[in-house]
């Protein structure tokens, strides 16, 4: 296939089990690094038993500070067939997964669509992306995805260019999130687990609180104050030599509190906040092919 799956629109030729020359380096079929119950998502996603998280390798964004660098930058993982991908979803269901959580799926949309058309899990399917999504790709998934869990990472195009070489990120994320909102309505079961809907994540970055507040303002204006938001404080510098000095330290409590206060001042009331202890490497799962290899 000639790939137009993500906003990079690089037109790479992607075939099964053959790494491409596209931005993501990936073949047509999914390359996976881990599939297991995951308890560290927001409560409506993790529930009590855990979210059935499937971690995709490669990335269409590749932020320089990514905590999953081993799979997003270094491409660690194993290619799987459609049949094996369906088996993995079924295995997670059998383990009691509250949902099937597709983590960083944007560059594998055609393959995912093929799999979900062949097998629809009995639990909600979560599209957990960096927010850098093609509206056309999202439309192709309509009716197959029940929960959208996107990031809205950057407000300023220059910062997006510096951190992810994606100056168009802010506009693409806005369009993608509006499309996600169009497709799904918020609905929870009696245990508070999200069965369908939209939950937007935002990672607050050091010296970037102004951008965070602009994102909150945009969400209020375009989606309303009933929107479910997750404000994350977990930024952790995995190196100390980033070219942008603000990224070489953790987030200050005062910075995070400023954004949380703005959340309430703007009238939002459906939110999830993180403890400062979340800024630890130990919260990153082990990418060791758990659940991928038989």
């Amino acid at each position: 296939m000639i790939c137009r799956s993500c906003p990079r629109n690089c037109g790479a030729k992607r075939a099964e089990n053959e790494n491409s020359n596209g931005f993501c380096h990936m073949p047509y079929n999914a390359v996976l690094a881990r599939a297991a119950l995951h308890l560290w998502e927001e409560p409506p996603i993790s529930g009590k038993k855990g979210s059935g998280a499937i971690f995709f390798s490669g990335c269409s964004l590749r932020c320089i500070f990514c905590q999953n660098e081993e799979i997003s930058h270094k491409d660690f993982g194993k290619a799987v067939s459609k049949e094996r991908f369906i088996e993995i979803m079924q295995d997670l269901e059998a383990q009691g997964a509250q949902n099937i959580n597709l983590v960083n799926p944007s560059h594998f949309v055609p393959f995912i669509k093929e799999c979900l058309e062949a097998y629809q899990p009995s639990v909600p399917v979560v599209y957990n992306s960096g927010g850098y999504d093609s509206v056309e790709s999202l439309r192709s998934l309509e009716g197959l995805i029940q929960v959208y869990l996107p990031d809205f990472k950057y407000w300023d195009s220059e910062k997006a260019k510096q951190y992810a070489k994606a100056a168009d990120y802010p506009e693409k994320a806005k369009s993608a999130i509006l499309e996600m909102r169009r497709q799904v309505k918020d609905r929870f079961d009696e245990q508070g687990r999200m069965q369908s809907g939209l939950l937007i994540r935002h990672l607050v970055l050091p010296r970037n609180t102004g951008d965070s507040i602009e994102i909150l303002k945009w969400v209020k204006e375009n989606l309303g104050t009933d929107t479910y938001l997750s404000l994350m404080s977990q930024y952790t510098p995995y190196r100390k030599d980033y070219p942008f000095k603000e990224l070489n330290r953790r987030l200050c409590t005062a910075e995070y509190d400023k954004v949380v206060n703005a959340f309430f001042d703007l009238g939002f009331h459906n939110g999830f906040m993180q403890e400062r202890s979340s800024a630890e490497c130990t919260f990153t799962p082990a990418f060791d092919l758990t659940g991928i290899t038989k």
Side-chain angles (χ1 to χ4, degrees), residues 138-194:
L138 294 173
R139 286 176 180 163
S140 76
L141 294 171
E142 187 167 2
L144 299 172
I145 302 295
Q146 287 72 51
V147 177
Y148 281 105
L149 184 62
D151 289 329
F152 194 153
K153 292 178 180 289
Y154 313 116
W155 177 258
D156 180 72
S157 61
E158 184 61 28
K159 287 292 175 64
K161 180 179 179 180
Q162 291 174 343
Y163 296 165
K165 296 182 180 178
D168 61 345
Y169 177 91
E171 294 309 313
K172 296 298 183 182
K174 291 174 190 175
S175 298
I177 289 170
L178 290 174
E179 172 60 22
M180 294 172 184
R181 176 76 291 172
R182 183 192 70 79
Q183 288 188 24
V184 295
K185 303 299 182 184
D186 298 332
R187 183 171 61 86
F188 299 82
D189 68 10
E190 63 281 359
Q191 297 179 45
R193 298 174 300 191
M194 185 172 264

Side-chain angles (χ1 to χ4, degrees), residues 83 85-95 100 119 121:
E83 292 73 23
F85 189 86
I86 290 172
E87 285 180 355
I88 289 169
M89 291 193 290
Q90 292 171 334
D91 288 345
L92 290 169
E93 288 178 275
Q95 293 172 45
I100 300 299
Y119 176 75

Side-chain angles (χ1 to χ4, degrees), residues 37-273:
L37 297 182
H38 190 60
L39 292 167
W40 303 112
E41 308 286 29
E42 290 78 7
I45 304 299
S46 289
K48 293 183 179 179
K49 293 185 178 180
S51 177
I54 301 175
F55 289 85
F56 293 83
S57 301
C59 188
S60 59
L61 201 52
R62 288 208 207 117
C63 302
I64 61 173
F65 52 80
C66 181
Q67 66 181 17
N68 295 342
E69 183 180 45
E70 184 179 1
I71 61 174
S72 62
H73 288 241
K74 299 178 181 178
D75 301 337
F76 172 79
K78 178 179 175 60
V80 299
S81 65
K82 179 178 80 171
E83 292 73 23
R84 179 59 187 148
F85 189 86
I86 290 172
E87 285 180 355
I88 289 169
M89 291 193 290
Q90 292 171 334
D91 288 345
L92 290 169
E93 288 178 275
Q95 293 172 45
Q98 309 290 276
N99 47 60
I100 300 299
N101 184 356
L102 308 177
V103 184
N104 192 25
S106 307
H107 49 303
F108 287 114
V109 167
F111 176 81
I112 291 169
K113 179 177 184 288
E114 185 181 347
C115 294
L116 292 177
E117 286 178 337
Y119 176 75
Q120 186 67 36
S122 60
V123 294
V125 177
V126 180
Y127 187 92
N128 179 349
S129 81
Y132 195 52
D133 290 290
S134 158
V135 169
E136 291 73 18
S137 287
L138 294 173
R139 286 176 180 163
S140 76
L141 294 171
E142 187 167 2
L144 299 172
I145 302 295
Q146 287 72 51
V147 177
Y148 281 105
L149 184 62
D151 289 329
F152 194 153
K153 292 178 180 289
Y154 313 116
W155 177 258
D156 180 72
S157 61
E158 184 61 28
K159 287 292 175 64
K161 180 179 179 180
Q162 291 174 343
Y163 296 165
K165 296 182 180 178
D168 61 345
Y169 177 91
E171 294 309 313
K172 296 298 183 182
K174 291 174 190 175
S175 298
I177 289 170
L178 290 174
E179 172 60 22
M180 294 172 184
R181 176 76 291 172
R182 183 192 70 79
Q183 288 188 24
V184 295
K185 303 299 182 184
D186 298 332
R187 183 171 61 86
F188 299 82
D189 68 10
E190 63 281 359
Q191 297 179 45
R193 298 174 300 191
M194 185 172 264
Q195 300 299 290
S196 69
L198 172 70
L199 196 168
I200 302 171
R201 287 172 164 169
H202 175 67
L203 175 65
V204 184
L205 294 172
R207 291 185 63 186
N208 279 273
T209 56
D211 276 18
S212 298
I213 292 170
E214 289 301 321
I215 287 171
L216 292 178
K217 290 178 179 177
W218 181 87
V219 173
K220 176 181 179 178
E221 181 177 344
N222 292 274
L223 300 172
T225 54
D226 289 338
T227 304
Y228 286 84
L229 290 162
S230 177
L231 297 178
M232 299 183 292
S233 62
Q234 68 189 44
Y235 176 74
T236 304
Y238 282 76
R239 301 197 308 269
K240 298 294 185 182
D241 60 349
Y242 292 122
F244 309 104
K245 62 181 182 179
E246 65 271 18
L247 298 180
N248 291 318
R249 66 167 174 85
R250 294 186 182 184
L251 188 71
C252 296
T253 299
E255 291 173 313
Y256 185 63
D257 287 349
K258 180 178 180 180
V259 178
V260 170
N261 289 337
F263 171 94
F264 289 110
D265 290 344
L266 288 166
F268 289 103
H269 46 269
N270 293 324
F272 302 92
M273 316 302 170

